[in-house]
Amino acid sequence: MTHVDNREMHTSRWGDPASATALPEAARGLIELAFGLTETPAVETSVLPEGRFPSEALSELRAFIGDEHVLTDDDSRRRRTRGKSTPDLLKARAGDWSDAPDVVVRPASHDDVQRVLDLAVAHRLAVVPFGGGTAVTGGLVARRDGLAGVISLDLVRMKALRDVDTVSMTATLEPGLRGPEAEALLAEHGLTLGHYPQSFEYASIGGFAATRSSGQSSAGYGRFDALVMALTAATPSGRLDLGTAPANAAGPDLRQLLLGSEGAFGVITSVTVRVRALPEVTAYDGWRWPSFEAGATAMRTLAQSGLVPTVIRLSDESETALNLARPESIGDSNDGGCLMITGFEGTPAAVDLRRVAVTAVLTNLGGTPLGEEPGAAWVHGRFHAPYLRDSLLDVGVLVETLETATFWSNLDRVYADVKAALTGALGDGAIVLCHISHIYETGASLYFTVAAKQADDPLAQWQVAKTAASDAMIDAGATITHHHAVGIDHKPWLEREIGPVGVQVLRAVKASLDPAGVLNPGVLIP
């Protein structure tokens, strides 16, 4: 069973421009006061570097994949150049397509993928797996050193729901399915995966697995890597079939070598995931807290008492004031403090039971209930923030996000240190916002959004800020990334996090599975 939606994102913006809205006047006025407005239109036409690819290899690809699925035209190559970080978009807007792949190949099966990898080894070609193109840490930019060309391996034809086991509550999905496609197929069986990252509308199942994605409902449904029961991958050394039971003691869990490997160890060609029954009802509530610290304490209390809602988010004072879920309301008066959103999904009885229990805990801790409207507003805008970023880039405002995670006892330090690092690097006029959207019994994530007036060289401007923030994370004992993955952007800090022996382990796995070094070269491994 398959579901096909082959819409592609704009080359220098997020998603479908038809879904974007103009910057609201209230927000535009505040931005003009804070940063000034400088219209920065993108370059509409640009020339790609000429593809360099062995003609013999191109002929072989066309022979077994099919002419219509081996693409060398500029538009196909442009759409698979880089991801959707702010630096990616700034380069695209400036007409810089120097990282374009030489060929786009669209396999239809695991065997097709394996043959592409075999050909890549024989001809010394880099292979970059491509799902939805939503990467934000440079994971789609291959290093060309010593290689004869770059293949973008677009998994768009691998969109099947292969199997549903309603007794074990698992489903086997192919990697090219986008989030909405997977949910639509599962819904036909009364099931849901429940994985809703901000990139949900365009990100793919394979991308979720390869980056160890977390979704906005991960508090209730779990991170994607926690949902994966089994997987299949093609590697230059052969096929990997991993996962024979829900749990085992058969040595280290090799599934974890592929989950989060970002295409550097193999190409994931299917995943078997835990699924749940479609929720019968959903309910969202808003809460106000006098401070970010008080709200975080409430989150920790819920997590450690086993009363975690399906969705729980806490914005700091600055993010609450700006209300990014409703940009049209920016500038409206508010009562200060910090906004929390809680969401519940399931049967009516289960939702009522948990909602009442959570309400009692939050009330006893000093939270002020705000009713359902704030939650409804968040649901309405939950996937729209990247479109707002485009609108701000259009008027000369540098906007980018970064995230981390740490233990509860260290949360205040990490929050303060990263915020100070960003403000110090970008200047006092910069706006730094933060929210917590993923919580655990032992800790939580911190997700920062930054806005500043663009400098003459915004790429260099952001690199200074990114470096300062990343140093602050590692110096404070936090992780370099909670769910954005390593890619190229976070590689300089990975060894500080996992240590030199950890790096040796990664390099040894790479040498075993990809001895020729053709899989996403330059990504992940220091």
Side-chain angles (χ1 to χ4, degrees):
M1 185 183 301
T2 59
H3 186 95
V4 178
D5 177 0
N6 291 336
R7 291 175 301 165
E8 295 185 292
M9 288 196 287
H10 193 278
T11 56
S12 59
R13 306 178 75 85
W14 174 264
D16 179 2
S19 299
T21 57
L23 198 63
E25 283 304 313
R28 190 179 180 92
L30 280 180
I31 290 162
E32 186 170 14
L33 284 174
F35 306 121
L37 296 178
T38 305
E39 299 294 336
T40 56
V43 175
E44 292 298 328
T45 59
S46 55
V47 178
L48 267 67
E50 184 176 351
R52 53 182 184 86
F53 202 82
S55 58
E56 180 182 354
L58 193 61
S59 298
E60 289 181 40
L61 284 169
R62 286 174 169 157
F64 70 83
I65 297 293
D67 285 351
E68 69 274 28
H69 299 300
V70 179
L71 310 174
T72 58
D73 62 283
D74 280 2
D75 186 59
S76 296
R77 294 171 58 212
R78 186 180 289 113
R79 290 183 182 277
R80 290 155 187 85
T81 301
R82 308 188 189 101
K84 293 297 179 182
S85 69
T86 293
D88 292 338
L89 296 184
L90 289 170
K91 290 176 183 177
R93 285 166 173 250
D96 175 1
W97 300 101
S98 57
D99 295 317
D102 301 303
V103 178
V104 177
V105 178
R106 302 187 301 198
S109 66
H110 174 95
D111 289 345
D112 281 355
V113 172
Q114 191 67 61
R115 290 188 68 178
V116 172
L117 297 187
D118 293 344
L119 179 143
V121 171
H123 292 276
R124 297 288 299 154
L125 304 167
V127 178
V128 182
F130 187 94
T134 61
V136 293
T137 58
L140 298 177
V141 180
R143 188 178 60 210
R144 289 177 174 267
D145 301 352
L147 298 169
V150 176
I151 296 171
S152 175
L153 190 70
D154 190 344
L155 302 172
V156 68
R157 295 170 66 203
M158 300 179 67
K159 287 181 176 285
L161 170 59
R162 291 191 189 171
D163 182 66
V164 175
D165 180 347
T166 55
V167 176
S168 304
M169 292 297 280
T170 64
T172 301
L173 304 167
E174 289 190 334
L177 284 165
R178 291 178 180 169
E181 293 173 327
E183 288 293 346
L185 288 171
L186 291 169
E188 294 174 7
H189 299 269
L191 302 171
T192 182
L193 183 59
H195 192 71
Y196 297 99
Q198 191 173 77
S199 59
F200 169 75
E201 294 173 310
Y202 289 92
S204 69
I205 293 296
F208 294 158
T211 61
R212 298 176 69 190
S213 171
S214 283
Q216 295 167 345
S217 302
S218 290
Y221 288 97
R223 288 168 56 99
F224 196 82
D225 52 334
L227 304 181
V228 175
M229 301 291 104
L231 62 84
T232 298
T235 81
S237 294
R239 178 181 177 123
L240 273 172
D241 291 292
L242 301 171
T244 57
N248 67 71
D253 188 349
L254 297 181
R255 291 171 300 182
Q256 295 299 325
L257 286 178
L258 275 296
L259 296 172
S261 65
E262 304 181 44
F265 294 160
V267 180
I268 296 170
T269 55
S270 72
V271 291
T272 298
V273 292
R274 184 192 74 208
V275 292
R276 293 183 178 167
L278 272 174
E280 297 176 35
V281 296
T282 60
Y284 290 89
D285 296 317
W287 292 82
R288 189 171 300 283
W289 296 90
S291 67
F292 196 48
E293 182 181 5
T297 297
M299 295 178 111
R300 176 172 59 82
T301 302
L302 289 176
Q304 293 175 347
S305 62
L307 287 175
V308 178
T310 308
V311 173
I312 184 163
R313 304 170 65 84
L314 175 70
S315 295
D316 71 359
E317 291 86 349
S318 298
E319 187 170 284
T320 298
L322 284 178
N323 196 0
L324 295 183
R326 297 181 62 187
E328 72 277 3
S329 71
I330 291 175
D332 292 352
S333 62
N334 64 72
D335 298 326
C338 296
L339 175 66
M340 176 187 285
I341 301 296
T342 57
F344 306 86
E345 298 183 2
T347 64
V351 165
D352 287 346
L353 186 65
R354 183 154 294 242
R355 193 179 188 188
V356 167
V358 168
T359 296
V361 171
L362 298 184
T363 300
N364 288 337
L365 290 171
T368 302
L370 301 177
E372 297 184 353
E373 194 277 335
W378 174 78
V379 171
H380 175 73
R382 66 192 300 187
F383 304 128
H384 294 171
Y387 291 108
L388 177 59
R389 175 184 60 173
D390 287 334
S391 298
L392 292 169
L393 290 175
D394 289 341
V395 295
V397 179
L398 177 73
V399 181
E400 185 56 303
T401 62
L402 68 169
E403 40 73 46
T404 184
T406 191
F407 296 104
W408 288 115
S409 58
N410 196 39
L411 196 74
D412 290 347
R413 177 189 173 187
V414 175
Y415 172 70
D417 288 1
V418 174
K419 193 167 184 177
L422 289 166
T423 302
L426 292 170
D428 291 336
I431 297 173
V432 181
L433 318 176
C434 186
H435 66 253
I436 299 171
S437 55
H438 305 280
I439 65 171
Y440 309 91
E441 288 186 48
T442 54
S445 68
L446 291 167
Y447 189 99
F448 296 87
T449 301
V450 182
K453 181 178 178 58
Q454 283 189 32
D456 292 339
D457 185 348
L459 287 171
Q461 177 189 16
W462 175 245
Q463 188 56 54
V464 170
K466 175 76 170 179
T467 297
S470 299
D471 283 341
M473 290 173 190
I474 298 297
D475 289 345
T479 180
I480 192 60
T481 176
H482 172 261
H483 59 268
H484 280 174
V486 175
I488 291 174
D489 295 354
H490 292 148
K491 265 202 329 179
W493 292 273
L494 184 59
E495 183 169 358
R496 290 176 61 188
E497 178 162 339
I498 66 174
V501 175
V503 172
Q504 289 177 32
V505 171
L506 292 181
R507 290 175 178 171
V509 174
K510 177 73 168 177
S512 178
L513 295 178
D514 180 26
V518 299
L519 280 173
N520 222 1
V523 168
L524 176 64
I525 302 169

